[in-house]
């Protein structure tokens, strides 16, 4: 992907446009903005982000198996998880939770161990909408535009979209 602004909207069959992932990567800025609506309250979406057993069930593409090494979602807590594909290749991620406000907000660092020294600062805001729905908005801040572009070119968009589709299924009892 070039340094031009990127916008990605993933829509699966039968899904309304309001529940698609919206991802924007502003040109020449080391940021990514995301937004996704869910048919579930913010408390349920937050719990799926903060409970390690739920988190491992939806994070990333379906073809990957996620193992939680550690996951302590509280200010000062840390996490590390490993994802493995059918080919046996592993991808590990870790970070630190800086701010956690139940059902409202998480501020954390995120680092893919395959890109050492590229630490991302991630903000996630959980908000309730009418009729028991919610909106999750995110902002990721990278150390450089080049670092952001590396994540984008390696499939970050499709990975987030696939994970949120699995989150829909998990919260829906599927």
């Amino acid at each position: 992907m070039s340094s031009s602004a990127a916008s990605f909207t993933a829509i699966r069959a039968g899904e309304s446009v309001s529940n698609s992932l919206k991802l924007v990567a502003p040109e020449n800025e080391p940021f990514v903005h995301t937004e996704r609506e869910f048919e579930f309250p913010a408390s349920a979406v937050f719990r799926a982000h903060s409970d390690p057993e739920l988190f491992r069930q939806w994070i990333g593409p379906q073809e990957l198996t996620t193992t939680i090494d550690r996951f302590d979602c509280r200010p000062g807590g840390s996490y590390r998880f490993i994802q493995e594909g059918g080919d046996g290749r592993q991808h590990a991620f870790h970070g630190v939770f800086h701010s956690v406000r139940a059902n409202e907000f998480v501020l954390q660092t995120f680092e893919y161990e395959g890109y050492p020294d590229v630490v991302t600062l991630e903000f996630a805001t959980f908000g309730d909408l009418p009729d028991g729905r919610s909106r999750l908005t995110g902002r990721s801040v990278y150390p450089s535009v080049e670092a952001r572009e590396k994540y984008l070119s390696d499939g970050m968009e499709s990975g987030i979209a696939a994970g949120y589709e699995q989150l829909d299924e998990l919260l829906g009892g599927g």
Side-chain angles (χ1 to χ4, degrees), residues 20-62:
S20 62
L21 173 68
K22 296 169 186 71
L23 185 148
V24 176
E27 185 174 1
N28 297 321
E29 294 183 26
F31 310 116
V32 169
H33 305 278
T34 58
E35 183 177 293
R36 174 67 150 72
E37 293 184 4
F38 294 89
E39 299 301 319
F40 309 95
S43 60
V45 177
F46 175 85
R47 183 169 174 249
H49 281 77
S50 59
D51 178 313
E53 177 56 27
L54 294 176
F55 182 79
R56 73 159 194 83
Q57 294 179 59
W58 68 264
I59 191 68
Q62 189 172 23

Side-chain angles (χ1 to χ4, degrees), residues 70 80-82 91-94 111-116 151:
R70 66 181 177 276
R80 183 175 187 266
F81 62 94
I82 302 104
H91 305 277
F93 306 85
H94 69 269
E111 185 173 359
Y112 170 48
E113 292 178 7
Y115 302 155
Y151 274 95

Side-chain angles (χ1 to χ4, degrees), residues 3-162:
S3 61
S4 62
S7 180
F8 177 82
T9 302
I11 303 172
R12 67 179 172 171
E15 183 177 47
S16 71
V17 173
S18 67
N19 285 350
S20 62
L21 173 68
K22 296 169 186 71
L23 185 148
V24 176
E27 185 174 1
N28 297 321
E29 294 183 26
F31 310 116
V32 169
H33 305 278
T34 58
E35 183 177 293
R36 174 67 150 72
E37 293 184 4
F38 294 89
E39 299 301 319
F40 309 95
S43 60
V45 177
F46 175 85
R47 183 169 174 249
H49 281 77
S50 59
D51 178 313
E53 177 56 27
L54 294 176
F55 182 79
R56 73 159 194 83
Q57 294 179 59
W58 68 264
I59 191 68
Q62 189 172 23
E63 63 271 11
L64 299 178
T65 300
T66 301
T67 302
I68 302 293
D69 182 35
R70 66 181 177 276
F71 199 97
D72 186 10
C73 188
R74 63 173 179 79
S78 67
Y79 68 91
R80 183 175 187 266
F81 62 94
I82 302 104
Q83 295 184 312
E84 184 172 343
D87 60 1
R89 189 170 172 203
Q90 293 187 341
H91 305 277
F93 306 85
H94 69 269
V96 175
F97 295 102
H98 291 268
S99 297
V100 177
R101 290 194 304 272
N103 308 324
E104 294 178 8
F105 181 76
V106 174
L107 172 60
Q108 67 187 53
T109 59
F110 177 88
E111 185 173 359
Y112 170 48
E113 292 178 7
Y115 302 155
D117 304 324
V118 178
V119 179
T120 304
L121 190 59
E122 297 191 337
F123 302 79
T125 304
F126 303 80
D128 281 316
L129 297 172
D131 301 320
R133 301 179 72 244
S134 64
R135 178 180 298 124
L136 172 60
T137 56
R139 180 177 172 126
S140 298
V141 181
Y142 297 84
S144 67
V145 172
E146 295 77 20
R148 180 200 70 181
E149 293 297 319
K150 178 73 172 149
Y151 274 95
L152 289 170
S153 69
D154 282 350
M156 179 178 87
E157 298 151 308
S158 60
I160 293 171

